[in-house]
Amino acid sequence: MSNVGGTEARLVKPRLHIGLTGGIASGKSTVAAELASLGAIVVDADALSRVVVEPGSEGLDRVREALGPSAIAPDGTLDRAAVGKLVFADPEARALLNGIVHPLVRAEGRRLVTEAGPDAVVVQDVPLLVETGQAGAYDLVLVVEADPAERVSRMVRDRGMTEDDAQARIAAQATDEQRRAAADVLIVNDAGLEDLRRTTRRVWDEYVLPFKPTGDSGPSRRGRDTHRR
């Protein structure tokens, strides 16, 4: 893997380390679930982002200090709705929050990857993989893409967002073009959930099963060929 050194170089690496990303409501969670059903160990950055700001954590204390008491709900947990409205409207506040949460999430992710062991296929589900410049840390980067208008429709229908809120979420993330540039495999989600699951299984068969480490020099990465499904 490229761009790995220092402490990370001493970590026990899995047989194959996959970075999975995609814009909000692109279908990335469906792909992650299918990969897990095929035998991958999935490390979910969104789930870890909740763990690192649980009550009593260093992360929550730092968020309170950076964003103020309105970031904390009456029960002492992070008020995600209030924080979400704040950071998606205020780039400076978003940068403060990311500067606290992302390093903590990465550290916990590294621990879980190490625990997986050298024979594992580990998928790190990282919504902001491109935005945080992490593509080089993986043997393979999978990007899930869907039409922006369809993503807005899903967020309004399934998550109860307004159309303006949904569009703001999309605007706050990397563009499709930026994610494509980082992709080794591009999965286009434009034909329904079952087709997306079949596509994921084909990607597993073509890219994961044939993967063989190359010894001391580290895993052999395929070229940066974008592969549409």
Side-chain angles (χ1 to χ4, degrees):
M1 289 185 287
S2 60
N3 299 332
V4 177
T7 300
E8 289 189 31
R10 295 191 294 272
L11 296 177
V12 176
K13 295 182 175 69
R15 178 174 70 85
L16 179 61
H17 194 190
I18 298 172
L20 171 65
T21 196
I24 185 170
S26 63
K28 177 172 59 63
S29 296
T30 298
V31 171
E34 190 64 27
L35 291 170
S37 76
L38 293 166
I41 296 172
V42 175
V43 178
D44 185 338
D46 272 345
L48 295 184
S49 72
R50 290 169 170 77
V51 170
V52 300
V53 291
E54 287 180 343
S57 68
E58 172 195 356
L60 188 63
D61 290 342
R62 291 173 59 190
V63 170
R64 181 189 293 109
E65 182 179 348
L67 301 183
S70 63
I72 310 302
D75 63 359
T77 62
L78 185 71
D79 189 332
R80 296 188 178 278
V83 169
K85 289 181 180 178
L86 172 63
V87 301
F88 282 103
D90 183 346
E92 184 176 345
R94 184 163 66 247
L96 283 172
L97 180 66
N98 290 344
I100 294 167
V101 173
H102 290 170
L104 296 172
V105 168
R106 286 185 198 136
E108 181 64 9
R110 286 194 296 269
R111 183 185 68 80
L112 294 173
V113 169
T114 299
E115 288 183 352
D119 297 323
V121 173
V122 175
V123 175
Q124 286 197 250
D125 181 344
V126 187
L128 300 181
L129 183 150
V130 172
E131 293 87 337
T132 53
Q134 296 183 63
Y138 302 98
D139 302 317
L140 191 72
V141 174
L142 307 185
V143 171
V144 185
E145 181 178 298
D147 179 74
E150 176 60 25
R151 292 164 58 198
V152 168
S153 177
R154 290 171 189 165
M155 283 185 273
V156 171
R157 181 187 66 237
D158 302 333
R159 307 188 188 192
M161 294 184 185
T162 66
E163 186 171 329
D164 286 345
D165 283 345
Q167 290 173 340
R169 294 293 181 106
I170 290 175
Q173 295 184 334
T175 64
D176 286 342
E177 290 75 16
Q178 289 169 325
R179 280 187 289 264
R180 288 175 201 150
D184 294 305
V185 181
L186 178 64
I187 300 174
V188 180
N189 177 19
D190 60 0
L193 287 178
E194 190 49 47
D195 182 82
L196 182 59
R197 294 186 182 103
R198 283 195 298 268
T199 296
T200 303
R201 292 193 292 270
R202 291 197 298 269
V203 168
W204 179 272
D205 290 344
E206 184 171 345
Y207 288 87
V208 178
L209 291 183
F211 185 89
K212 301 294 183 185
T214 60
D216 293 340
S217 61
S220 173
R221 185 176 186 133
R222 297 182 65 134
R224 301 290 275 183
D225 298 331
T226 298
H227 183 73
R228 286 182 175 271
R229 289 285 180 169

